[in-house]
Each structure stands twice: as structure tokens, then as C-alpha cells.
Amino acid sequence: MADFTAAAAIIGTGFMGRVHAESLARIGVRVLGIVGSTPERAAAAGIAQPYSGMDEMLADDRVNVVHVCSPNHLHYEQALAALRAGKHVVCEKPLAMTPAEARELRDTARELGLVNAVCFINRFYPLCQQAAAQVSSGALGAVRLVTGGYLQDWLSKDTDWNWRLDPRLGGSLRVVGDIGSHWLDLASYVTGQRVESVMADLTTTIPTRHRPLRSVETFTQAVDQETEPTTVTTEDIAGILLRFDGGARGVLSLSQVSPGRKNNLTLDLSGSDGSLNWGLENPERMWIGHRDDPSQILMRTEGDYPPGHAQGYPDTFKALHHAVYTAVASGEAPTEPDFPTFDDGLEQALIGEAIAQSARLEQWATVER
Ligand code: SOE
């Protein structure tokens, strides 16, 4: 285990706060405390020592890195306050609710020379890193087509509810921001190509949901709770055509209403000399397609654990956090970071803006960088 001396504080007591705390413990980073929506919630979480609030945490000089794991609408103001207090920041996606906010965060981190990261964790599956290496080595030839999707089912019933459904808390794009951003980040990471323009169709298939009057944890169902009929404006499904700057074309399907699809991200590349397919629900295997030779299924060989000893979701956070704390230990923000940064958070905000525009106008939209 590396000997990291930098210490952390976490904002957020939900699913992501717990994932970050566990990952930091695994790499030997001390979590000095946690900030919740109330001091009582911070104490009840049992993750780390509770702070009374943001102010107490930001004034704690022992904290070097702040992990922003709160609901989306709080990311901007909390990340900005942390940067201004001189802390390095690891932020859950989305970085912010608008491109302007994401840009301000990116610029502030840059000006202050602070390490900044956004948790596009799928890059850290060893086979995704291998896929990126295959593409950049030229083994697949020119990538011509990128297809796939990200399908989930945890919002497929009209009784399913979560704060992400409320645009004031989650943002005006839901499947695109919550899971589409993971796919788009991964597609660019693996292909080395950026999205240039998009044509999007967004649909809300469950326009009225029964919202429980108390809050519901991500991926869980409200049981025996009083509910209130609530109109939903954010999309349940999305179909998006993509044009990449390296010439590739893409087709992406997104949904949070696909029964049986739990966390089903798939990425399929067709290159001039070979193809590749990888999926998040079976992340230890990758399919490599050949025209003239038999196609192959590759088993992971690189990584923290020997092949056959499954590596998965928590390990991606461990790898991301390890890269970030290595940068923090070096004393300055790296010029060529080996982890996703606020630049990548801004990139997804800009693509999201183009997707929303395309859906609204029912025409192709360019990503305005
Ligand atoms: C819910 O859709 C969610 O937890 C996302 O918010 C995460 O980013 C993704 O990893 C899994 O699904």
C-alpha cells in the first residue's frame, strides 16, 4: 500500500459517499470527517467523524482533499468552495449543472494549481485500459463505428423514485447526465476521438410517478410510504447518433427503464482491421473480432488481482483514487493526468448541452467547445 500523507473529507452520506470512504480506506488515506445535509445525517451515516457542516470542514487545515459526493445540484458550489479554501477536489459526476459552472470550476482549479478529478470510473477497468491501448497501437485499424448503450432498470416502475428524477436536484438531463456521460467518456477514452456533433431523441416514458414523501436511497425502492403523483420532465430513454472528430460514427442507446438490465453498459467498436466488445456486467472478458481469423474472448490478465479473481466496481474507485493521491503527493496538478479531470467534466457538460439542443430542435447539434 502506498504511504499517502494527504487526508480527505467527504461531502455526502449516500451511496457514493460510502463508496468513496471504502476506497480511501483501501489505499490508506485517512478520512478525517464527513459533511451531511444535516449534522444529524452526517453522524447517523457512521462513515467517519461528522462535521457540523461545510464551514467546519473547509476550516480544517488537516484536510487536503475534498470528495464531493452530494446530489448533483450541490456539486458546483461545494467544489468551488473547496477549491477556494485551497483543497484538491474529487467530484462525482456531473461536475456541475451547466457548462458555464463546469468551466468556472475547471478554470479555478487551473488558476490555483489544485488537483481535480471527476469520477468517470469506467476508464479504470483493466480491460477498458487494454481496449484503449489496442486502439492507440493501431491493432484495430481506423475506428469506423462505435455502438452500445447503458441500460438500467431501477427506475422502470412508476413507483420508483429518487432525487435524480427532480431536475432541480439532478439536472435537466437524467439518463444522459447520469449514465450517458459514463458511456460517452469511455467511448472517447477508448477511441481517442471526441464527439463533434449529435442527433438526439429523448423520451419520458413514465410522465407521472408516485413520489414518496420521504427520500429514497439510489437503487432501492420505497416501501409502505405515502406518495404524491408527480410529473416527470427528465428523459427515461435516449437514442443518440454521434459523429466523432476522428471520423467514427456512433449509435448510443440509454435507458433507466429496461427490466432486467441492472447496470448494463456495453461498448462495441468496429475498426478497419478488427473489432472489440466490452460490457460492464461482465467486465473481466473482452471480445475481439477478426475478419479472417477466429474471433477471440480475452480474459483480463493485468490488474490488482490475478486473472480469475474478479475485479470490479469498487476497484475502479481504488485505482482512480490512487492516481489522484499520487498526483497530490507529487505536489502539483499533473500536466498529463492519468485520471479524468474537470476538463473531462466540462467536456460532458458541453456534449450534454448539444444533446439537449438537438432533441429540442430535432436536428443535428455541434458540441460548442
Ligand atoms: C445510478 O444511475 C448510478 O448509480 C449512477 O449515478 C452511477 O454513476 C453509475 O455508476 C451507476 O448508476
Side-chain angles (χ1 to χ4, degrees):
M1 195 187 285
D3 192 13
F4 294 123
T5 53
I10 295 176
I11 308 171
T13 56
F15 174 41
M16 293 325 302
R18 287 198 307 278
V19 170
H20 280 238
E22 183 189 287
S23 159
L24 292 171
R26 288 177 70 196
I27 62 167
V29 168
R30 277 177 314 143
V31 179
L32 296 173
I34 184 150
V35 178
S37 51
T38 63
E40 294 72 34
R41 287 191 73 150
I47 295 174
Q49 284 296 317
Y51 284 110
S52 58
M54 279 291 285
D55 291 345
E56 191 195 1
M57 184 273 286
L58 294 177
D60 186 345
D61 290 338
R62 300 169 306 155
V63 173
N64 310 103
V65 186
V66 171
H67 291 245
V68 179
C69 303
S70 48
N72 301 351
H73 70 298
L74 299 169
H75 292 182
Y76 163 71
E77 66 182 58
Q78 292 174 338
L80 192 61
L83 292 171
R84 288 189 175 148
K87 319 283 190 199
H88 307 286
V89 176
V90 177
C91 189
E92 265 306 325
K93 38 105 321 235
L95 177 57
M97 301 279 266
T98 65
E101 290 175 354
R103 194 183 300 281
E104 187 183 348
L105 288 173
R106 193 276 311 266
D107 292 347
T108 306
R110 237 186 222 174
E111 277 157 28
L112 297 173
L114 292 162
V115 175
N116 53 92
V118 178
C119 298
F120 291 121
I121 49 153
N122 298 301
R123 297 182 185 196
F124 290 90
Y125 282 94
L127 284 177
C128 290
Q129 303 199 333
Q130 196 163 329
Q134 293 245 356
V135 173
S136 68
S137 73
L140 301 188
V143 177
R144 295 165 167 165
L145 180 65
V146 187
T147 64
Y150 201 156
L151 310 179
Q152 297 181 328
D153 71 358
W154 66 290
L155 294 173
S156 58
K157 298 180 185 171
D158 66 1
T159 48
D160 292 324
W161 186 265
N162 180 265
W163 57 262
R164 287 174 176 78
L165 286 149
D166 181 343
R168 289 165 305 176
L169 310 184
S172 53
L173 291 175
R174 175 164 37 92
V175 297
V176 171
D178 189 39
I179 52 178
S181 59
H182 275 305
W183 189 94
L184 289 158
D185 178 78
L186 187 64
S188 281
Y189 171 74
V190 171
T191 61
Q193 299 189 30
R194 293 202 305 184
V195 176
E196 207 165 55
S197 54
V198 297
M199 174 77 198
D201 180 36
L202 310 181
T203 310
T204 307
T205 52
I206 308 179
T208 306
R209 288 179 183 257
H210 304 284
R211 183 175 67 83
L213 297 184
R214 281 184 281 124
S215 79
V216 185
E217 183 74 59
T218 307
F219 286 115
T220 64
Q221 290 186 37
V223 189
D224 296 337
Q225 274 210 41
E226 224 186 309
T227 62
E228 157 175 284
T230 303
T231 303
V232 174
T233 55
T234 55
E235 76 284 4
D236 293 311
I237 59 176
I240 307 172
L241 297 177
L242 303 156
R243 290 181 183 150
F244 289 86
D245 62 1
R249 293 292 194 261
V251 185
L252 167 62
S253 311
L254 302 171
S255 159
Q256 287 180 320
V257 292
S258 296
R261 298 301 190 191
K262 300 300 172 190
N263 201 35
N264 191 40
L265 183 160
T266 53
L267 184 68
D268 198 289
L269 306 189
S270 305
S272 50
D273 300 331
S275 301
L276 176 159
N277 179 290
W278 178 85
L280 185 50
E281 289 186 345
N282 190 9
E284 296 278 274
R285 302 265 191 290
M286 180 161 72
W287 176 85
I288 306 283
H290 304 289
R291 164 75 190 260
D292 299 318
D293 297 317
S295 296
Q296 302 160 295
I297 293 184
L298 209 79
M299 197 169 171
R300 171 183 68 80
T301 50
E302 304 294 324
D304 284 0
Y305 298 104
H309 298 69
Q311 236 180 273
Y313 178 72
D315 303 291
T316 60
F317 282 90
K318 184 180 164 207
L320 184 148
H321 289 158
H322 192 281
V324 168
Y325 280 82
T326 302
V328 170
S330 80
E332 57 188 28
T335 46
E336 289 189 17
D338 55 355
F339 52 87
T341 65
F342 284 10
D343 272 315
D344 302 291
L346 172 60
E347 173 74 2
Q348 288 310 317
L350 294 170
I351 297 175
E353 183 177 59
I355 288 172
Q357 190 195 349
S358 163
R360 201 172 48 246
L361 302 177
E362 301 195 337
Q363 62 189 36
W364 281 89
T366 304
V367 179
E368 302 290 351
R369 295 191 172 84

